[in-house]
Amino acid sequence: MSIEVKGLRKRFGGFQALDDVSFSVGQGELLALLGPSGSGKTTLLRIIAGLEHADAGTVLFDGHDAAARHPRERGVGFVFQHYALFRHMTVFENVAFGLRVRPRAERPVESEIRRKVNELLGLVQLDYLGSRYPSQLSGGQRQRVALARALAVEPKVLLLDEPFGALDARVRQELRRWLRRLHAEIHLTSVFVTHDQEEALELANRVVVMNEGRIEQDGTPDDVVEHPATPFVLNFLGQVNIFHGRVQDGTAWLGPLALEYPEHPHTEARTAAGYSRPHELDISRSDDGGGLWGTVSDVRMAGAVVKFELLDDQRSPIQVELGREQYAQIRAIIGESVYVKPRRVRVFMQEPGG
Amino acid sequence: MSTAAASPSRRSLLPGFRLTMGFTLLYLCLIVIIPLMTLPVRSATMTWEALWGTVSDPRVVASYRLTIGASLVAASVNAVFGLIAAWVLVRYSFPGRRLVDSLVDLPFALPTAVAGITLTAIYAPNGWIGRFLEPYGIQVAFTRVGITLALIFIGLPFVVRTLQPVIEDLDVEVEEAATSLGATRFGVLTKVILPYLYPAWLTGFALAFARAIGEYGSVVFIAGNMPMRTEITPLLIITKLEQFDYAGATAIALVMLLMSFFLLLAINVLQGWTTRRLAN
């Protein structure tokens, strides 16, 4: 099933949780809603599920307005961050719940329920735990039960709210891989909420980045990494160095750096900032243009890369990441002054008055 | 008793087990066990026939029936309305919620005799409410209905206060999960909420019931105390004491003690079951 969200707005008291949000999810897509806490992503997910009402805007399921349908009739499987399992039921009964509460006419017979539940428990690799209670399971196991429970009703859409947020790093990794395999297997339209950019980029085939109730960017993982639409997306998706300056006459003047900036050919100067990721900077001992330099204040060997911290003439830090081979050539030491050559700078002009 | 704590080789890391356990036992002995032990000791001064005669006297048996019956009805009423009250107090926020929350405890704080007198005054045939009920032939004061009413009054906090923390613990997400899985509101209530609250609910019911069985102060005023009809067991005990029939009083008290004991034992078993089932 495809989902289309148009012009959603939601306000909680004085807090604008969603401000004119529109996007769509295609059949079989695995979409991530990525953003910091308070960005409105969970509210958005809950409105799609029908657990929350929007103040304005519509949610369309396959082109039909979902507002007409009660949450229980939307065909949505919802997985909660804290699992929300039924504590007084065994794992088996938890998964069977959605089948048992169907109206009598649609309810499968007991043997069919058994077969189905066991199949799902097999799918989430928990078939040996059917008679346990949720309190006897680990966090990762509980989340898999929650997933099996959501899948039991054969939903047309799977919505996951920070599904791995409460788990430790190793289990999270494992479940992430497992969820991707599962999605490849059953091809269910899925939307998950996360504040972990790594998780979003690794798992989703499309990422919607949110901030303060608005969509900052909607694109493939590659898009948001390589072509971030706003400084916020750049900042949120990883460490970045900021060079402040201005743009004028088609050139960006950022400290000692002068870069072409054809987007602003006017003579009127505007405030701007350039952004470079640590791995987009090089270090050299000779100044071949640019003239940006800094003093090495820290060198750390971090696995495959070497992380430098430099202090420029204003004593503000610049982060640089070099590969092992590059490092072998330069071998800069603490206290040494070196030139910094950006291989890539993304310049964003500030809105007037902003 | 924990053998791990008692054996010197595996001492508990938490210090003070011996001291606190000793204090607990001493305290229970002085306050609960020794006073209660006097009951069987006193009763033992009677012969078996006299004892049986006292506790199976028709007037006494009628009082058991009334006390237990009215207590059961009162506890049941409290179970229903206490559940609703606890739900409202936990789940909704409204102006004056804290005030209502404190009102629930008043039956604990008020001297029960005051409650009894007030209820009698209100529900007597010429009282504020009683005068409107009278034309329909409904008599509350000096009937079993009045007794039950007084028992409802004193039992309410037990159900509400037992259920409140459990309802607070019940995550709204659990209800939302059930709804998104296709359960109707009724299905959520009967398949998710009530089974979850059930053990605590039973505990609250049993506590209210136990309290009602032993209640004296609030009931004697509204009961009218007619032998065979509106005479509760605690009142009979007092009557016997006033006639200096200490042995007879303690014999009846012993029967009540046994009833209370088994009830409280059942509550404890229930609580153990609740914790095991829902342990997180």
Side-chain angles (χ1 to χ4, degrees):
Chain A
M1 187 159 74
S2 67
I3 308 170
E4 205 180 339
V5 169
K6 281 188 196 163
L8 280 192
R9 285 174 199 280
K10 176 76 183 177
R11 179 178 269 284
F12 294 109
F15 177 67
Q16 189 78 42
L18 290 178
D19 190 3
D20 194 18
V21 169
S22 305
F23 71 101
S24 60
V25 193
Q27 159 66 35
E29 255 191 311
L30 179 54
L31 181 127
L33 292 174
L34 175 66
S37 51
S39 61
K41 54 200 194 304
T42 293
T43 307
L44 180 54
L45 197 74
R46 290 172 58 85
I47 289 174
I48 296 174
L51 299 174
E52 206 91 61
H53 292 285
D55 298 336
T58 48
V59 177
L60 303 176
F61 283 176
D62 275 340
H64 301 288
D65 193 349
R69 281 191 265 173
H70 189 271
R72 70 171 165 273
E73 293 151 356
R74 288 196 184 196
V76 161
F78 202 98
V79 176
F80 295 86
Q81 179 177 4
H82 298 290
Y83 330 122
L85 293 176
F86 307 128
R87 286 200 263 165
H88 60 282
M89 293 182 197
T90 61
V91 166
F92 184 95
E93 286 305 319
N94 262 282
V95 178
F97 184 85
L99 302 171
R100 293 207 196 280
V101 295
R102 283 191 188 167
R104 200 174 296 274
E106 300 163 32
R107 199 182 306 159
V109 294
E110 186 60 28
S111 60
E112 173 62 18
I113 291 179
R114 282 195 170 278
R115 192 194 59 75
K116 182 103 192 245
V117 172
N118 285 325
E119 186 190 305
L120 280 163
L121 286 177
L123 187 71
V124 298
Q125 298 156 3
L126 288 175
D127 28 11
Y128 58 102
L129 290 178
S131 57
R132 299 274 189 92
Y133 284 92
S135 58
Q136 298 167 302
L137 304 184
S138 70
Q141 289 170 332
R142 287 185 208 184
Q143 196 54 293
R144 280 186 281 160
V145 174
L147 202 68
R149 182 179 68 175
L151 291 174
V153 292
E154 292 177 4
K156 298 185 194 73
V157 179
L158 189 62
L159 304 175
L160 307 106
D161 182 14
E162 300 258 5
F164 314 130
L167 304 170
D168 59 58
R170 219 177 58 83
V171 179
R172 204 182 308 181
Q173 280 281 353
E174 220 168 87
L175 274 185
R176 217 186 274 173
R177 274 197 291 276
W178 176 82
L179 183 65
R180 200 168 45 188
R181 274 204 308 278
L182 184 79
H183 183 260
E185 228 170 274
I186 59 180
H187 261 296
L188 189 60
T189 308
S190 308
V191 180
F192 73 97
V193 158
T194 181
H195 61 261
D196 179 349
Q197 32 105 5
E198 205 179 302
E199 189 167 291
L201 298 176
E202 197 177 305
L203 205 50
N205 41 40
R206 201 146 60 82
V207 178
V208 170
V209 185
M210 294 190 65
N211 180 35
E212 291 179 346
R214 294 164 181 275
I215 291 181
E216 294 274 337
Q217 189 170 6
D218 175 351
T220 63
D222 196 45
D223 274 344
V224 293
V225 172
E226 287 301 313
H227 311 287
T230 64
F232 174 82
V233 176
L234 242 169
N235 254 317
F236 193 71
L237 286 182
Q239 210 177 22
V240 71
N241 295 296
I242 305 178
F243 307 108
H244 294 284
R246 63 193 162 82
V247 288
Q248 195 174 15
D249 298 327
T251 309
W253 306 92
L254 308 166
L257 299 173
L259 305 159
E260 275 182 37
Y261 191 68
E263 289 92 333
H264 187 76
H266 314 292
T267 48
E268 163 221 9
R270 292 267 293 273
T271 315
Y275 298 80
S276 289
R277 298 218 178 274
H279 64 85
E280 290 166 345
L281 298 176
D282 277 339
I283 287 177
S284 81
R285 289 209 170 82
S286 58
D287 179 18
D288 35 7
L292 180 66
W293 64 274
T295 310
V296 180
S297 65
D298 192 21
V299 184
R300 274 164 295 147
M301 312 291 161
V305 295
V306 181
K307 294 183 176 180
F308 285 85
E309 189 182 75
L310 314 178
L311 294 176
D312 67 8
D313 48 359
Q314 316 287 323
R315 298 205 63 77
S316 52
I318 305 172
Q319 313 289 338
V320 181
E321 256 177 53
L322 297 182
R324 284 271 174 186
E325 283 160 25
Q326 279 170 288
Y327 173 70
Q329 282 169 20
I330 180 120
R331 292 210 174 273
I333 53 165
I334 292 180
E336 194 180 346
S337 288
V338 290
Y339 289 98
V340 179
K341 282 197 296 183
R343 267 176 288 133
R344 180 169 189 185
V345 183
R346 296 179 187 82
V347 179
F348 288 98
M349 199 163 49
Q350 246 175 47
E351 294 304 314
Chain B
M1 205 188 290
S2 162
T3 48
S7 77
S9 58
R10 291 176 57 199
R11 290 277 288 274
S12 166
L13 281 177
L14 204 63
F17 170 73
R18 283 155 204 255
L19 185 67
T20 49
M21 188 67 190
F23 181 78
T24 306
L25 287 179
L26 178 72
Y27 189 78
L28 279 176
C29 280
L30 287 177
I31 305 291
V32 183
I33 300 173
I34 294 176
L36 290 184
M37 280 300 288
T38 60
L39 286 181
V41 170
R42 278 272 187 184
S43 316
T45 58
M46 299 171 88
T47 61
W48 276 112
E49 289 75 26
L51 184 85
W52 180 248
T54 308
V55 300
S56 65
D57 176 49
R59 191 172 152 191
V60 178
V61 170
S63 82
Y64 296 150
R65 206 173 285 153
L66 172 65
T67 303
I68 292 177
S71 298
L72 268 179
V73 172
S76 308
V77 171
N78 272 331
V80 174
F81 291 100
L83 173 66
I84 296 172
W87 185 263
V88 169
L89 285 174
V90 174
R91 276 302 167 88
Y92 306 102
S93 58
F94 50 90
R97 191 174 70 109
R98 294 209 164 268
L99 189 74
V100 177
D101 199 55
S102 330
L103 281 179
V104 170
D105 280 333
L106 273 191
F108 275 148
L110 201 66
T112 48
V114 176
I117 293 168
T118 314
L119 285 172
T120 313
I122 291 174
Y123 284 98
N126 56 356
W128 284 358
I129 299 178
R131 88 174 66 151
F132 297 108
L133 297 174
E134 239 240 309
Y136 303 100
I138 304 170
Q139 264 228 347
V140 176
F142 318 122
T143 65
R144 292 171 178 197
V145 181
I147 297 174
T148 313
L149 193 73
L151 295 181
I152 291 172
F153 176 82
I154 52 112
L156 178 71
F158 291 94
V159 178
V160 177
R161 290 290 179 244
T162 315
L163 280 173
Q164 260 178 328
V166 185
I167 296 175
E168 269 163 21
D169 206 33
L170 177 65
D171 215 327
V172 182
E173 283 189 354
V174 172
E175 285 170 59
E176 290 174 344
T179 307
S180 79
L181 288 168
T184 57
R185 199 63 202 139
F186 181 74
V188 175
L189 186 71
T190 55
K191 290 202 165 65
V192 176
I193 297 172
L194 289 184
Y196 176 80
L197 297 181
Y198 178 70
W201 200 20
L202 267 184
T203 306
F205 172 84
L207 282 173
F209 180 56
R211 176 76 178 85
I213 281 189
E215 177 58 14
Y216 171 75
S218 64
V219 178
V220 282
F221 293 100
I222 204 168
N225 308 328
M226 286 164 278
M228 302 301 290
R229 288 191 46 222
T230 60
E231 206 172 37
I232 56 167
T233 313
L235 176 74
L236 274 182
I237 295 173
I238 301 284
T239 314
K240 292 234 184 273
L241 287 178
E242 280 169 349
Q243 295 159 354
F244 303 106
D245 180 7
Y246 293 128
T250 47
I252 300 173
L254 190 62
V255 173
M256 290 201 64
L257 180 73
L258 288 175
M259 286 197 283
S260 306
F261 178 73
F262 282 110
L263 208 78
L264 291 169
L265 192 68
I267 291 172
N268 266 334
V269 170
L270 265 181
Q271 273 172 335
W273 179 68
T274 320
T275 357
R276 264 203 312 284
R277 198 94 187 264
L278 299 173
N280 211 337

